[in-house]
Amino acid sequence: MDTVRTRILAAVSVAGLLVAAAPAVAAEPEQGEIVITARKRAESQIEVPDAVTVFTAQTIENAGINDVTDFANLTPNMFFTPTFRPAEMQMTIRGIPTAQGGEAPVAVVIDGVQVSHPTFVNQELLDIEQIEVLRGPQGSLYGRNAIGGALNITTRRPTNELEGMVRASYASGNDIRVGGAISGPLVKDKLLFRLAASMRDYEGQLRDQTARDGDRKADYDENYLVKAGLIFTPTDRLEINLRGNYLHQRAGAPTLEMVSNANFDDYGASLLNRNVLTYDKREIYDLSFKADYDFGAAMLTWITGYSRSDAHLFGDADFSPAPIVLQDLDLTVKAFTQELRLSSQGEGWLRWLVGLYYQKRDTDNFLLIPFDDGTGQSNGSFAIQSFDAGTSKSIAAFGSVSADVSDDLELTLGMRYDRDKRRSVDTAIGAASEAGDTFEALQPKLQLKYKIDDDLNVFASYGRGFRSGGFNAFFAAGADRQFSKETSDSFEIGMKGDFLDRRLTFSASAFHIKFDNQQFFFITVSPPSQNVVNIGKVDISGLEVELAARPTSQLTINAGFGLSDATIKRFSDAAPALYKDNRAPQSPAYTASLSMDYVIPLADDFDVRFNGSFVRRGSIMWDAANTLRTPAKNLINARLFVERSGFSIGAYVDNLTNARYPTQALANSFGDGVHSRIPSPRRQFGVQGSYKF
């Protein structure tokens, strides 16, 4: 055994020197073991036989993580960026992307409640306790849309002692942020509260050549967010958790540029040139109820959630200074969810979980493309009028059992059945436009974990993932009305280990995915249409490595690397050889990051903290034909702060080298050789101060 550990430690040391990537995810030395709940029970991170990246509250604060894009940049094989509007995210994990307007490739769970629609994902990460990113299919627990993984986000719990924080910052683009939180008991030990709020007033940095709206730039953002929580513990066995949040936002969108092949990678000057500065307004309401009853040997959990989003976008649709056409979009999403589960407790040789799930969701997606009257308003005539009303009713049953076959070998079996009944109709047309179908799948998962010793595990797994199909709007002329469900079969081997008295943590995994019916979004100009189609078969092979070194109590260095080779094997039954062996679109070839956090103690309890990260994202193909490509890009962030007794003040820079790239691109969306792209944010310098009490 000593020989085995010596060899593995030698391999880890060599890998640490070779790896050129790193998520800032490790626990601080004083925190010791990281406990996660992504598998719906509390477990040590190293004991979970999945690839998991964890961001603790301290890591989130030190690295200045404000939204999902920030932590995605620090996670292997993960790519999250905003697209044509704040509520839309381009999400790719292990080569599995999002089709615009479609479902996310990951299940997003906030305080135990599964998020019902991607429009709820892109919000400020305010008052967060921990973020857990599981990579690989998690359908056996979370069901449809967990085809690529799961995000488990836990907000800070209400406390039994009075505590709070305030924070303010100012940055380039006249970017003002203010936030705070307060928590304490209403009735000691029985009824606890937490209240958090934030606001942002950002004039933006991307200038439109023609359109103007006072001092606002094309990418301005004005929002405020309020979050509230109550925990009621009437008995030692029962805990009731109530949560709610409200978001109001008005932002510039889309910051879309028309580009040719020649200037696709040219960011020397803004190519935004519209006669109307487009805006997007949205409001989000989110309420949840969670009750846990402890029977001793088992825990019963009941979760109820309601969420609603109302969004309205208006502005230029031809993206030129000429007054030709406008866009007027209303998107309303309402969802009600229920989950009931019973799980074993304790550390016995057999651990199990069973549950039921229900969701009802209504989505109204109303799109008008009116002709411009010359003043930036509709003249009463329309190129497109679409009033798509969609419904989804989902039911699921799931279960999981983990058994200690021996002292060192654990076997986990999971299974979930999902049934998603969907319907779409254009309300202005009626029955002639109606479409409907039921998408269903069994999602098994098999995992084996072998404990080499208390600090070193190896594992192997198989899992099936599933994402529901759906319907293009009735007006869409470039594709069929219905697109198919996606399925994936994923095979993975990996290892996790703590070395040198937990001063060195290392994990690695290799995977292969058989991915069927990838959903892919594109736009046609003639006739004008927005479409989702399926790419028949894609093979994805990859690997991931993560390393965290804590040589002293003051220094943490993290490294990690993700490789994802996604290749089209069959485009469609009608054209099986088309694009064969091309790279699948919207997936970086690799991701890499390197980060460090270093604290320098000074006199009188003063500390100086430096946090820096380097992120490299491999090249991306934006179309199945592989004609539109973004080369590899580097991002550098740095923060330098002085800290003392709850006070913190300092300066930071995001995107130090002002790297520019598209966060989304659509090939030939304005005709052959004329593409659309959404430019990335510019470099931003800022100062920030905070106080905790």
Side-chain angles (χ1 to χ4, degrees), residues 448-560:
L448 283 170
K449 181 185 70 175
Y450 183 74
K451 181 188 293 186
I452 295 176
D453 63 25
D454 288 342
D455 294 320
L456 181 61
N457 297 310
V458 294
F459 64 89
S461 68
Y462 160 76
R464 168 159 276 234
F466 154 66
R467 179 160 49 176
S468 286
F471 306 97
N472 289 301
F474 184 70
F475 80 88
D480 294 336
R481 180 80 159 98
Q482 179 174 324
F483 53 90
S484 300
K485 71 179 183 182
E486 294 176 341
T487 59
S488 71
D489 290 289
S490 179
F491 306 85
E492 183 172 355
I493 57 173
M495 61 82 66
K496 297 180 177 183
D498 283 330
F499 305 91
L500 303 177
D501 195 25
R502 292 188 176 175
R503 292 190 177 277
L504 182 66
T505 301
F506 179 80
S507 64
S509 59
F511 59 88
H512 179 72
I513 304 171
K514 308 292 287 186
F515 186 26
D516 292 343
N517 293 325
Q518 175 182 330
Q519 295 165 9
F520 177 62
F521 174 83
F522 69 97
I523 290 177
T524 58
V525 176
S526 182
S529 184
Q530 300 176 352
N531 319 278
V532 176
V533 298
N534 293 102
I535 299 175
K537 289 189 177 295
V538 175
D539 280 1
I540 307 171
S541 296
L543 60 86
E544 293 161 354
V545 179
E546 295 185 87
L547 180 88
R550 296 167 289 272
T552 73
S553 61
Q554 297 154 238
L555 176 63
T556 301
I557 301 172
N558 298 275

Side-chain angles (χ1 to χ4, degrees), residues 631-654:
K633 297 291 182 179
N634 299 328
L635 297 174
I636 299 174
N637 298 332
R639 300 169 63 84
L640 185 65
F641 279 71
V642 176
E643 302 172 344
R644 185 191 183 193
S645 302
F647 286 97
S648 174
I649 188 168
Y652 64 90
V653 56
D654 292 331

Side-chain angles (χ1 to χ4, degrees), residues 47-64:
E47 297 295 331
V48 175
D50 281 298
V52 186
T53 301
V54 181
F55 298 82
T56 65
Q58 192 64 55
T59 297
I60 292 168
E61 179 181 349
N62 294 346

Side-chain angles (χ1 to χ4, degrees), residues 123-419:
Q123 302 182 46
E124 180 184 353
L125 294 172
L126 174 66
D127 209 30
I128 301 299
E129 181 65 30
Q130 186 160 286
I131 301 168
E132 304 160 13
V133 184
L134 276 76
R135 299 183 298 281
Q138 304 298 323
S140 64
L141 283 180
Y142 294 110
R144 62 183 180 88
N145 307 334
I147 189 168
L151 304 181
N152 188 42
I153 300 174
T154 306
T155 62
R156 291 184 181 270
R157 287 172 58 89
T159 56
N160 211 19
E161 302 295 334
L162 184 65
E163 67 172 39
M165 71 88 181
V166 290
R167 182 180 64 224
S169 66
Y170 178 83
S172 309
N174 202 21
D175 189 359
I176 302 170
R177 294 177 185 253
V178 178
I182 188 168
S183 178
L186 295 175
V187 178
K188 197 78 169 179
D189 300 323
K190 291 292 184 181
L191 184 61
L192 315 177
F193 82 95
R194 192 169 193 96
L195 182 65
S198 69
M199 61 80 63
R200 186 186 190 192
D201 187 355
Y202 175 47
E203 289 183 1
Q205 293 182 277
L206 301 177
R207 181 178 293 276
D208 195 294
Q209 295 182 33
T210 301
R212 293 288 183 271
D213 185 6
D215 293 328
R216 292 173 173 152
K217 307 295 191 301
D219 58 332
Y220 76 93
D221 187 359
E222 300 165 356
N223 70 72
Y224 58 87
L225 173 65
V226 179
K227 303 171 72 172
L230 283 174
I231 289 181
F232 177 44
T233 312
T235 72
D236 291 341
R237 292 183 176 270
L238 177 63
E239 179 181 280
I240 297 172
N241 197 322
L242 296 172
R243 304 231 176 221
N245 74 278
Y246 172 74
L247 171 70
H248 177 90
Q249 182 178 37
R250 180 185 172 111
T255 56
L256 187 148
E257 300 173 325
M258 280 194 295
V259 293
S260 65
N261 291 327
N263 64 1
F264 181 67
D265 287 316
D266 181 6
Y267 293 89
S270 173
L271 300 178
L272 292 166
N273 196 5
R274 304 164 296 179
N275 67 306
V276 178
L277 193 65
T278 307
Y279 69 83
D280 181 63
K281 295 191 297 185
R282 64 169 174 158
E283 287 186 302
I284 287 178
Y285 311 83
D286 203 348
L287 298 170
S288 69
F289 167 92
K290 180 172 178 279
D292 292 296
Y293 190 83
D294 186 353
F295 287 100
M299 178 74 75
L300 180 66
T301 299
W302 174 34
I303 298 171
T304 297
Y306 174 78
S307 53
R308 174 171 179 148
S309 173
D310 296 296
H312 178 228
L313 182 148
F314 181 83
D316 201 341
D318 55 83
F319 303 100
S320 76
I324 303 174
V325 289
L326 304 165
Q327 56 182 316
D328 191 345
L329 170 67
D330 283 292
L331 176 65
T332 299
V333 181
K334 295 178 286 185
F336 173 73
T337 61
Q338 290 271 294
E339 182 174 333
L340 183 67
R341 67 175 183 262
L342 185 68
S343 58
S344 64
Q345 297 203 97
E347 297 298 323
W349 72 274
L350 189 68
R351 299 165 297 281
W352 52 267
L353 177 151
V354 293
L356 299 170
Y357 179 82
Y358 170 79
Q359 181 190 98
K360 182 180 185 297
R361 187 180 73 191
D362 297 318
T363 305
D364 293 335
N365 192 355
F366 297 167
L367 173 65
L368 301 177
I369 304 293
F371 290 97
D372 196 320
D373 67 0
T375 68
Q377 298 298 318
S378 169
N379 70 359
S381 299
F382 299 89
I384 293 174
Q385 297 183 78
S386 174
F387 301 92
D388 187 77
T391 60
S392 167
K393 292 183 179 180
S394 303
I395 58 172
F398 58 92
S400 175
V401 59
S402 296
D404 295 331
V405 180
S406 71
D407 289 343
D408 300 320
L409 182 63
E410 178 192 80
L411 170 66
T412 298
L413 297 172
M415 179 69 75
R416 177 163 171 147
Y417 170 73
D418 272 88
R419 186 174 186 270

Side-chain angles (χ1 to χ4, degrees), residues 79 81-83 90 92 97-98 264-265 267 518 520-522 535 583-588 617-631 661-668 675-678:
F79 174 51
T81 59
T83 60
Q90 169 64 50
T92 300
T98 308
F264 181 67
D265 287 316
Y267 293 89
Q518 175 182 330
F520 177 62
F521 174 83
F522 69 97
I535 299 175
R583 281 177 54 189
Q586 300 179 346
S587 174
R617 189 161 56 226
S619 63
I620 299 176
M621 295 294 183
W622 294 103
D623 62 331
N626 286 186
T627 60
L628 199 60
R629 174 182 179 272
T630 295
Y661 53 90
T663 62
Q664 185 190 46
L666 297 173
N668 306 309
H675 320 294
S676 59
R677 74 177 184 194
I678 307 292

